[in-house]
Amino acid sequence: MNDIEVTVEAERGPSSTTRRRWPTTVVAVLLVAAAVGAIVWGSAQRDDAAERQAMIDRQRDAVLVASGFVEALMSYEHEDLDAQQSAVESFATEQFRADFVDAFTTDVRDQIVAEKASSTVTVDDVYVTTDDGDELGVIVHALSEVSSEGGATAELESYLRVRLVRLDDRWKVDDLTSLGSRDLSSPLAPPDSEEGESDG
């Protein structure tokens, strides 16, 4: 009986031990896998967050350049147009600078001087429309107050599309398109107002 009992205990011993060890091993493996997964997931999350932040920073810098450019372009004093021209050129690529100088000196400048005009502008909003990394497009909504000799004034609302390119880690204006403007100081008369008066 004793021999049999010992034999039975001997056979049960390893089996019982094995059954106790397997769950512990499986749990350990799962814990390691979970830890590795958490590290990978956390790293991916950090990478995504870093990319998003880099995009936000890049767009913010471009928006500031576009805003500063429009302020320089649309703010002027007829007595000191050289300062305005220099300010605009500081934002421009070489090609756009050449185009601007050509247009400004042959047309716009003479008109401003002749009318003794001045203007102040406020950039109301800037909307990012395209983002291709080193090339970015925005639409600038600006309000300006223009005055000329004789006391004539106008309040203008303008929308401009600005294309920027990144050169030497700096944003530069490479193209400008006017999307339209309107004179807020001269609203249209209500429809049929004149007919209503004549009928009375």
Side-chain angles (χ1 to χ4, degrees), residues 172-193:
K172 291 288 187 177
V173 175
D174 194 48
D175 190 41
L176 171 70
T177 303
S178 174
L179 301 179
S181 62
R182 61 174 178 148
D183 188 349
L184 299 178
S185 56
S186 299
L188 295 175
D192 302 327
S193 61

PDB file of all heavy atoms in Angstrom, residues 172-193:
ATOM      1  N   LYS A 172       7.203  82.737 -47.642  1.00  0.00           N
ATOM      2  CA  LYS A 172       7.257  83.902 -48.518  1.00  0.00           C
ATOM      3  C   LYS A 172       6.022  83.918 -49.416  1.00  0.00           C
ATOM      4  O   LYS A 172       5.533  82.862 -49.830  1.00  0.00           O
ATOM      5  CB  LYS A 172       8.523  83.867 -49.387  1.00  0.00           C
ATOM      6  CG  LYS A 172       9.826  84.068 -48.625  1.00  0.00           C
ATOM      7  CD  LYS A 172       9.987  85.509 -48.171  1.00  0.00           C
ATOM      8  CE  LYS A 172      11.349  85.765 -47.555  1.00  0.00           C
ATOM      9  NZ  LYS A 172      11.523  87.187 -47.191  1.00  0.00           N
ATOM     10  N   VAL A 173       5.540  85.106 -49.718  1.00  0.00           N
ATOM     11  CA  VAL A 173       4.388  85.246 -50.604  1.00  0.00           C
ATOM     12  C   VAL A 173       4.850  85.084 -52.045  1.00  0.00           C
ATOM     13  O   VAL A 173       5.773  85.765 -52.492  1.00  0.00           O
ATOM     14  CB  VAL A 173       3.720  86.619 -50.409  1.00  0.00           C
ATOM     15  CG1 VAL A 173       2.588  86.810 -51.414  1.00  0.00           C
ATOM     16  CG2 VAL A 173       3.193  86.754 -48.982  1.00  0.00           C
ATOM     17  N   ASP A 174       4.177  84.169 -52.777  1.00  0.00           N
ATOM     18  CA  ASP A 174       4.574  83.887 -54.148  1.00  0.00           C
ATOM     19  C   ASP A 174       3.506  84.271 -55.171  1.00  0.00           C
ATOM     20  O   ASP A 174       3.776  84.328 -56.366  1.00  0.00           O
ATOM     21  CB  ASP A 174       4.908  82.398 -54.290  1.00  0.00           C
ATOM     22  CG  ASP A 174       5.646  82.087 -55.576  1.00  0.00           C
ATOM     23  OD1 ASP A 174       6.627  82.802 -55.883  1.00  0.00           O
ATOM     24  OD2 ASP A 174       5.246  81.141 -56.273  1.00  0.00           O
ATOM     25  N   ASP A 175       2.289  84.535 -54.684  1.00  0.00           N
ATOM     26  CA  ASP A 175       1.232  84.907 -55.621  1.00  0.00           C
ATOM     27  C   ASP A 175       0.089  85.560 -54.851  1.00  0.00           C
ATOM     28  O   ASP A 175      -0.139  85.248 -53.669  1.00  0.00           O
ATOM     29  CB  ASP A 175       0.713  83.680 -56.373  1.00  0.00           C
ATOM     30  CG  ASP A 175      -0.218  84.067 -57.513  1.00  0.00           C
ATOM     31  OD1 ASP A 175       0.089  85.046 -58.210  1.00  0.00           O
ATOM     32  OD2 ASP A 175      -1.246  83.401 -57.702  1.00  0.00           O
ATOM     33  N   LEU A 176      -0.625  86.453 -55.531  1.00  0.00           N
ATOM     34  CA  LEU A 176      -1.750  87.163 -54.921  1.00  0.00           C
ATOM     35  C   LEU A 176      -2.861  87.305 -55.946  1.00  0.00           C
ATOM     36  O   LEU A 176      -2.612  87.682 -57.095  1.00  0.00           O
ATOM     37  CB  LEU A 176      -1.308  88.554 -54.442  1.00  0.00           C
ATOM     38  CG  LEU A 176      -2.423  89.496 -53.977  1.00  0.00           C
ATOM     39  CD1 LEU A 176      -3.018  88.999 -52.667  1.00  0.00           C
ATOM     40  CD2 LEU A 176      -1.882  90.918 -53.808  1.00  0.00           C
ATOM     41  N   THR A 177      -4.079  86.995 -55.519  1.00  0.00           N
ATOM     42  CA  THR A 177      -5.248  87.164 -56.383  1.00  0.00           C
ATOM     43  C   THR A 177      -6.342  87.860 -55.593  1.00  0.00           C
ATOM     44  O   THR A 177      -6.679  87.434 -54.474  1.00  0.00           O
ATOM     45  CB  THR A 177      -5.783  85.802 -56.869  1.00  0.00           C
ATOM     46  OG1 THR A 177      -4.732  85.099 -57.539  1.00  0.00           O
ATOM     47  CG2 THR A 177      -6.947  85.997 -57.827  1.00  0.00           C
ATOM     48  N   SER A 178      -6.889  88.931 -56.148  1.00  0.00           N
ATOM     49  CA  SER A 178      -8.028  89.598 -55.518  1.00  0.00           C
ATOM     50  C   SER A 178      -9.292  88.838 -55.855  1.00  0.00           C
ATOM     51  O   SER A 178      -9.601  88.585 -57.024  1.00  0.00           O
ATOM     52  CB  SER A 178      -8.130  91.046 -56.005  1.00  0.00           C
ATOM     53  OG  SER A 178      -9.312  91.643 -55.491  1.00  0.00           O
ATOM     54  N   LEU A 179     -10.044  88.453 -54.834  1.00  0.00           N
ATOM     55  CA  LEU A 179     -11.299  87.743 -55.031  1.00  0.00           C
ATOM     56  C   LEU A 179     -12.497  88.685 -55.029  1.00  0.00           C
ATOM     57  O   LEU A 179     -13.632  88.238 -55.176  1.00  0.00           O
ATOM     58  CB  LEU A 179     -11.474  86.681 -53.936  1.00  0.00           C
ATOM     59  CG  LEU A 179     -10.378  85.619 -53.863  1.00  0.00           C
ATOM     60  CD1 LEU A 179     -10.661  84.647 -52.727  1.00  0.00           C
ATOM     61  CD2 LEU A 179     -10.247  84.881 -55.183  1.00  0.00           C
ATOM     62  N   GLY A 180     -12.231  89.974 -54.854  1.00  0.00           N
ATOM     63  CA  GLY A 180     -13.313  90.951 -54.885  1.00  0.00           C
ATOM     64  C   GLY A 180     -13.312  91.843 -53.666  1.00  0.00           C
ATOM     65  O   GLY A 180     -12.749  91.510 -52.624  1.00  0.00           O
ATOM     66  N   SER A 181     -13.944  93.009 -53.812  1.00  0.00           N
ATOM     67  CA  SER A 181     -14.069  93.944 -52.709  1.00  0.00           C
ATOM     68  C   SER A 181     -15.358  94.736 -52.878  1.00  0.00           C
ATOM     69  O   SER A 181     -15.930  94.791 -53.976  1.00  0.00           O
ATOM     70  CB  SER A 181     -12.866  94.892 -52.652  1.00  0.00           C
ATOM     71  OG  SER A 181     -12.785  95.661 -53.836  1.00  0.00           O
ATOM     72  N   ARG A 182     -15.808  95.349 -51.799  1.00  0.00           N
ATOM     73  CA  ARG A 182     -16.995  96.192 -51.876  1.00  0.00           C
ATOM     74  C   ARG A 182     -16.848  97.367 -50.932  1.00  0.00           C
ATOM     75  O   ARG A 182     -16.138  97.297 -49.923  1.00  0.00           O
ATOM     76  CB  ARG A 182     -18.252  95.402 -51.549  1.00  0.00           C
ATOM     77  CG  ARG A 182     -18.274  94.810 -50.141  1.00  0.00           C
ATOM     78  CD  ARG A 182     -19.604  94.174 -49.837  1.00  0.00           C
ATOM     79  NE  ARG A 182     -19.643  93.569 -48.511  1.00  0.00           N
ATOM     80  CZ  ARG A 182     -20.738  93.499 -47.767  1.00  0.00           C
ATOM     81  NH1 ARG A 182     -21.879  94.005 -48.218  1.00  0.00           N
ATOM     82  NH2 ARG A 182     -20.709  92.914 -46.578  1.00  0.00           N
ATOM     83  N   ASP A 183     -17.550  98.442 -51.279  1.00  0.00           N
ATOM     84  CA  ASP A 183     -17.499  99.677 -50.497  1.00  0.00           C
ATOM     85  C   ASP A 183     -18.605  99.615 -49.445  1.00  0.00           C
ATOM     86  O   ASP A 183     -19.780  99.757 -49.758  1.00  0.00           O
ATOM     87  CB  ASP A 183     -17.689 100.879 -51.424  1.00  0.00           C
ATOM     88  CG  ASP A 183     -17.457 102.202 -50.700  1.00  0.00           C
ATOM     89  OD1 ASP A 183     -17.364 102.192 -49.455  1.00  0.00           O
ATOM     90  OD2 ASP A 183     -17.383 103.240 -51.380  1.00  0.00           O
ATOM     91  N   LEU A 184     -18.209  99.414 -48.200  1.00  0.00           N
ATOM     92  CA  LEU A 184     -19.190  99.309 -47.122  1.00  0.00           C
ATOM     93  C   LEU A 184     -19.793 100.658 -46.755  1.00  0.00           C
ATOM     94  O   LEU A 184     -20.843 100.714 -46.117  1.00  0.00           O
ATOM     95  CB  LEU A 184     -18.535  98.691 -45.881  1.00  0.00           C
ATOM     96  CG  LEU A 184     -17.984  97.277 -46.033  1.00  0.00           C
ATOM     97  CD1 LEU A 184     -17.333  96.825 -44.729  1.00  0.00           C
ATOM     98  CD2 LEU A 184     -19.064  96.307 -46.457  1.00  0.00           C
ATOM     99  N   SER A 185     -19.123 101.735 -47.138  1.00  0.00           N
ATOM    100  CA  SER A 185     -19.619 103.069 -46.797  1.00  0.00           C
ATOM    101  C   SER A 185     -20.687 103.561 -47.760  1.00  0.00           C
ATOM    102  O   SER A 185     -21.287 104.612 -47.552  1.00  0.00           O
ATOM    103  CB  SER A 185     -18.456 104.074 -46.765  1.00  0.00           C
ATOM    104  OG  SER A 185     -17.767 104.081 -48.003  1.00  0.00           O
ATOM    105  N   SER A 186     -20.945 102.829 -48.845  1.00  0.00           N
ATOM    106  CA  SER A 186     -21.956 103.235 -49.823  1.00  0.00           C
ATOM    107  C   SER A 186     -22.903 102.069 -50.085  1.00  0.00           C
ATOM    108  O   SER A 186     -22.864 101.442 -51.147  1.00  0.00           O
ATOM    109  CB  SER A 186     -21.291 103.676 -51.125  1.00  0.00           C
ATOM    110  OG  SER A 186     -20.435 104.776 -50.913  1.00  0.00           O
ATOM    111  N   PRO A 187     -23.767 101.770 -49.132  1.00  0.00           N
ATOM    112  CA  PRO A 187     -24.700 100.647 -49.333  1.00  0.00           C
ATOM    113  C   PRO A 187     -25.695 100.958 -50.439  1.00  0.00           C
ATOM    114  O   PRO A 187     -26.018 102.115 -50.699  1.00  0.00           O
ATOM    115  CB  PRO A 187     -25.401 100.533 -47.975  1.00  0.00           C
ATOM    116  CG  PRO A 187     -25.285 101.892 -47.371  1.00  0.00           C
ATOM    117  CD  PRO A 187     -23.959 102.440 -47.836  1.00  0.00           C
ATOM    118  N   LEU A 188     -26.137  99.922 -51.097  1.00  0.00           N
ATOM    119  CA  LEU A 188     -27.116 100.101 -52.165  1.00  0.00           C
ATOM    120  C   LEU A 188     -28.456 100.537 -51.592  1.00  0.00           C
ATOM    121  O   LEU A 188     -28.851 100.139 -50.490  1.00  0.00           O
ATOM    122  CB  LEU A 188     -27.298  98.790 -52.937  1.00  0.00           C
ATOM    123  CG  LEU A 188     -26.071  98.280 -53.706  1.00  0.00           C
ATOM    124  CD1 LEU A 188     -26.391  96.910 -54.306  1.00  0.00           C
ATOM    125  CD2 LEU A 188     -25.685  99.257 -54.811  1.00  0.00           C
ATOM    126  N   ALA A 189     -29.176 101.383 -52.334  1.00  0.00           N
ATOM    127  CA  ALA A 189     -30.488 101.812 -51.893  1.00  0.00           C
ATOM    128  C   ALA A 189     -31.452 100.638 -51.934  1.00  0.00           C
ATOM    129  O   ALA A 189     -31.320  99.746 -52.767  1.00  0.00           O
ATOM    130  CB  ALA A 189     -30.990 102.933 -52.812  1.00  0.00           C
ATOM    131  N   PRO A 190     -32.453 100.621 -51.036  1.00  0.00           N
ATOM    132  CA  PRO A 190     -33.424  99.516 -51.047  1.00  0.00           C
ATOM    133  C   PRO A 190     -34.153  99.441 -52.378  1.00  0.00           C
ATOM    134  O   PRO A 190     -34.389 100.465 -53.015  1.00  0.00           O
ATOM    135  CB  PRO A 190     -34.393  99.893 -49.908  1.00  0.00           C
ATOM    136  CG  PRO A 190     -33.631 100.848 -49.056  1.00  0.00           C
ATOM    137  CD  PRO A 190     -32.704 101.580 -49.972  1.00  0.00           C
ATOM    138  N   PRO A 191     -34.450  98.251 -52.851  1.00  0.00           N
ATOM    139  CA  PRO A 191     -35.144  98.101 -54.139  1.00  0.00           C
ATOM    140  C   PRO A 191     -36.467  98.856 -54.162  1.00  0.00           C
ATOM    141  O   PRO A 191     -37.181  98.908 -53.162  1.00  0.00           O
ATOM    142  CB  PRO A 191     -35.370  96.579 -54.238  1.00  0.00           C
ATOM    143  CG  PRO A 191     -34.377  95.985 -53.307  1.00  0.00           C
ATOM    144  CD  PRO A 191     -34.176  96.977 -52.216  1.00  0.00           C
ATOM    145  N   ASP A 192     -36.773  99.482 -55.302  1.00  0.00           N
ATOM    146  CA  ASP A 192     -38.048 100.159 -55.536  1.00  0.00           C
ATOM    147  C   ASP A 192     -38.284 101.364 -54.636  1.00  0.00           C
ATOM    148  O   ASP A 192     -39.404 101.837 -54.504  1.00  0.00           O
ATOM    149  CB  ASP A 192     -39.233  99.196 -55.376  1.00  0.00           C
ATOM    150  CG  ASP A 192     -39.132  98.008 -56.306  1.00  0.00           C
ATOM    151  OD1 ASP A 192     -38.609  98.170 -57.433  1.00  0.00           O
ATOM    152  OD2 ASP A 192     -39.561  96.922 -55.898  1.00  0.00           O
ATOM    153  N   SER A 193     -37.231 101.869 -53.960  1.00  0.00           N
ATOM    154  CA  SER A 193     -37.431 103.010 -53.070  1.00  0.00           C
ATOM    155  C   SER A 193     -37.837 104.247 -53.837  1.00  0.00           C
ATOM    156  O   SER A 193     -38.682 105.022 -53.408  1.00  0.00           O
ATOM    157  CB  SER A 193     -36.150 103.277 -52.255  1.00  0.00           C
ATOM    158  OG  SER A 193     -35.073 103.576 -53.132  1.00  0.00           O
TER     159      SER A 193
END
